[in-house]
Amino acid sequence: MAVVVAAAYGALAGQDASDGLPGFSGPSWVAWLIAACVGAPLAVRRLRPLPALAVVVGASAAATLLDITRDPYIPAALAVYAVALAEPARRASAALALTLIGSAAAVVTGEAVLTPSGPWPEAAATAALVWLVVGAAWAAGRVVRERRRRAARRDRRLAEQTLAEERLRIARELHDIVSHSLSVIVVKAAVANHVAEERPQETRDALQAIEQTGREALTDMRRALGVLRGDAAGQRAPGPGTAPPPGLDDLPPLIRRAEQAGIRTGLRTRLAAPLPAGTALTVYRIVQEALTNVIKHAGDGTHCQVAITADARGGVRVEVVDDGAGNAPGSGRAGLSGGHGLVGMRERVMMYGGTLEAGPRPGGGFAVSARLPPEPAHGTAVSPKEATA
């Protein structure tokens, strides 16, 4: 662009006055110097917009006064566009005002005073045309600047939202792992402390369950951290030494841990087709959190039934129902208000556009029912019966 503009101005300086307009009569080196000053700054207008505009406008005014050219200040319009695009509003507006004043003064002085080529109205019309071209370029620059600013703000919001969602995902994973395992450990520790003197064998069994649960919790924690590190490194699959995320095949050990905590638990699955890994992980976490609530709030002797049903299209229904018949002194259902388990389940279900119902049963006990649609979707319908935690 800089080369084309400079060449055009240099060529116009060599024209004669055969068209009835005054022509340039000075030495050629002056014309080429002015042409270079008009065109060369355009090459750096994005790096130094204000200095480039100042040089271009000054050289264009000199070209007008010396009758080198009578163009509508197109190089100045290109330079003022860069100023409007890069500079703050106040500075860009001041630059526009000075450009309009300088260009109009040069046009009127050159065409109506120094070398008149027509009446004053023609000079004013030419100045108005220059203002129109320069003003349109300035307005275009401001519009593009505003669009880029909005796009940058939108990208920043998306980045913040992504970061918040990632933090929430990590918090859910750690909560599901730690809460379930610690609930089992606390229950078995309470049993061991209660029967330590009277039933030593039962105490040893409880300690063994605590040890096993602790080891499994450490394994789950390493697995979760390994997956998170893999995600941070952009890996699509777990790296060496990292187990895959838990799924339906990991439900039997989960059931056994609940039974070690005194919950009589049954598992029934009916799958018409294998579940995707993400859906299987969601099902596992829902069952894990539901059993954690049963362990914490229902107590020993509670009967709990876990049912998982998946149709041929991939829709899944998860139900965890207990009868509330256990003995758990001092830990009623009101304790649910202190945790984050049901909130975590709801968030997981929301990711798949499913529905969640959780609340006391009419005949006693507690029920959790989650439905996941065949295809992931945004949004969810949450039952008004859902308890919050």
Side-chain angles (χ1 to χ4, degrees):
M1 184 185 302
V3 172
V4 170
V5 170
Y9 267 66
L12 290 173
Q15 289 185 345
D16 54 23
S18 59
D19 57 356
L21 297 176
F24 176 68
S25 58
S28 60
W29 67 268
V30 174
W32 283 106
L33 178 61
I34 293 177
C37 291
V38 172
L42 297 179
V44 294
R45 64 188 181 122
R46 297 185 184 275
L47 300 178
R48 297 290 186 270
L50 287 174
L53 175 63
V55 175
V56 169
V57 171
S60 299
T64 301
L65 296 175
L66 295 175
D67 296 318
I68 293 177
T69 179
R70 299 182 186 277
D71 82 295
Y73 279 61
I74 293 178
L78 296 174
V80 84
Y81 170 84
V83 170
L85 186 63
E87 298 295 335
R90 181 176 298 180
R91 192 177 301 173
S93 300
L96 173 65
L98 293 176
T99 300
L100 295 178
I101 294 173
S103 60
V107 169
V108 172
T109 302
E111 293 192 9
V113 177
L114 296 181
T115 53
S117 59
W120 278 88
E122 290 186 7
T126 303
L129 177 61
V130 171
W131 280 23
L132 178 62
V133 172
V134 173
W138 186 89
R142 298 309 298 178
V143 169
V144 173
R145 176 185 173 90
E146 180 62 22
R147 288 181 178 177
R148 291 181 180 179
R149 188 180 66 84
R150 287 199 299 265
R153 188 168 61 244
R154 182 174 61 252
D155 292 342
R156 187 166 56 252
R157 284 200 305 268
L158 290 176
E160 293 173 353
Q161 180 181 355
T162 301
L163 179 61
E165 291 175 352
E166 183 65 13
R167 287 175 175 170
L168 183 60
R169 183 173 74 94
I170 294 173
R172 279 198 304 263
E173 290 296 319
L174 295 181
H175 172 271
D176 291 340
I177 294 171
V178 174
S179 176
H180 178 77
S181 300
L182 287 183
S183 296
V184 176
I185 290 173
V186 169
V187 169
K188 299 307 292 182
V191 171
N193 183 57
H194 184 68
V195 301
E197 297 180 359
E198 300 176 0
R199 298 192 290 275
Q201 181 59 41
E202 189 171 345
T203 301
R204 285 192 291 271
D205 294 341
L207 292 176
Q208 289 177 356
I210 291 174
E211 179 185 6
Q212 179 182 355
T213 303
R215 292 181 182 276
E216 292 173 351
L218 287 174
T219 300
D220 290 342
M221 186 69 71
R222 292 192 188 100
R223 175 166 52 189
L225 293 177
V227 171
L228 292 174
R229 290 193 183 100
D231 289 347
Q235 298 178 0
R236 292 183 177 272
T242 303
L248 299 186
D249 294 338
D250 298 286
L251 286 177
L254 196 64
I255 299 299
R256 287 195 296 270
R257 287 201 293 269
E259 291 177 342
Q260 291 173 353
I263 306 300
R264 301 177 183 178
T265 310
L267 173 64
R268 185 177 72 251
T269 59
R270 186 166 63 248
L271 307 178
L275 298 181
T279 304
L281 174 61
T282 299
V283 171
Y284 177 88
R285 293 305 188 197
I286 291 174
V287 174
Q288 184 183 49
E289 184 54 43
L291 289 179
T292 299
N293 283 340
V294 175
I295 293 171
K296 290 196 299 185
H297 306 294
D300 292 343
T302 298
H303 292 80
C304 181
Q305 184 64 39
V306 179
I308 301 172
T309 306
D311 55 36
R313 297 184 303 166
V316 184
R317 178 174 180 178
V318 182
E319 292 184 332
V320 182
V321 181
D322 68 81
D323 57 10
N327 180 19
S331 61
R333 292 291 180 184
L336 283 171
S337 60
H340 299 278
L342 292 179
V343 173
M345 281 192 285
R346 178 177 60 186
E347 291 169 348
R348 290 184 181 277
V349 172
M350 287 175 63
M351 293 173 60
Y352 286 84
T355 60
L356 176 68
E357 296 180 359
R361 302 171 61 200
F366 201 79
V368 174
S369 178
R371 294 177 177 83
L372 305 179
E375 296 294 336
H378 296 288
T380 183
V382 181
S383 170
K385 297 192 301 179
E386 175 187 346
T388 58

